[in-house]
Amino acid sequence: MSLPSFLLEILVCPQCHAPLTEASEQGESELRCTGDGCGLIYPVRDEIPVLLVDEARRPS
């Protein structure tokens, strides 16, 4: 599953406001923050990005 490019152009991390990039881990689609000090990973559920800091996870 891939999000539309126009959507990726406007989505930013709610924590640090850096752009997000698509990533997938274990077959699940995710959005990864590109900010230097942030790096939060947000889930995409049913093709809908969940951009809640409480739902995000830190990279391992």
Side-chain angles (χ1 to χ4, degrees):
M1 193 233 23
S2 179
L3 294 173
S5 61
F6 74 89
L7 187 59
L8 286 174
E9 291 175 11
I10 61 172
L11 290 178
V12 295
C13 175
Q15 178 77 26
C16 70
H17 307 290
L20 298 171
T21 60
E22 270 192 294
S24 63
E25 195 166 299
Q26 299 173 351
E28 295 183 19
S29 184
E30 301 173 325
L31 293 173
R32 185 178 302 262
C33 175
T34 60
D36 290 333
C38 186
L40 290 175
I41 302 169
Y42 298 93
V44 177
R45 297 185 186 127
D46 297 323
E47 299 184 23
I48 300 170
V50 181
L51 299 179
L52 300 171
V53 175
D54 292 342
E55 294 285 324
R57 65 179 177 84
R58 296 264 175 216
S60 51

